[in-house]
Amino acid sequence: MASEKTRQLIGLLGKGEKNAVKREQLAVYMGLSDRSMREAVAMARLEGVCIANNQDGTGYYIPENLEEYKQQYRQTKNRGRSIFAQLAAIRQGIEDLDQGSFDDLIRGEV
């Protein structure tokens, strides 16, 4: 179930790239700081809302067709790959320094 903030955000977002709303405008409409606006978008996405952003300054929107969904999927998948590559490098650094086992680290024991 979507939070009140997520429902408010969905109500402000346009359908389709042509109706994208800039984050700055959304922040004003919702009475949030830029950081809080980013967090609201992240939370809505965690709640299962597909919010697209082409990373080109046009703003956020709800995809309205298959191509817009595919574009957001590709973009998010690439971001995920980048994050996993960073995690692999961090893990390797931990193992190289021999500062305890990696499994202990992820359990919060290091």
Side-chain angles (χ1 to χ4, degrees), residues 19-94:
N19 295 307
V21 182
K22 293 183 183 283
R23 188 180 63 245
E24 297 82 5
Q25 291 174 302
L26 289 169
V28 169
Y29 297 153
M30 293 182 68
L32 299 174
S33 67
D34 186 63
R35 178 181 284 283
S36 294
M37 189 67 246
R38 287 175 190 253
E39 291 170 356
V41 169
M43 182 56 64
R45 286 173 170 161
L46 288 174
E47 291 177 10
V49 179
C50 182
I51 298 176
N53 178 339
N54 295 344
Q55 304 289 313
D56 62 358
T58 57
Y60 294 103
Y61 60 95
I62 303 294
E64 73 173 342
N65 59 51
L66 184 58
E67 188 51 43
E68 289 177 352
Y69 275 103
K70 285 180 176 181
Q71 172 59 29
Q72 188 61 35
Y73 180 85
R74 287 188 297 266
Q75 181 177 301
T76 302
K77 186 169 98 175
N78 289 338
R79 184 177 300 121
R81 285 181 179 157
S82 174
I83 290 169
F84 279 114
Q86 293 172 51
L87 288 172
I90 293 167
R91 181 178 185 150
Q92 187 62 55
I94 291 167

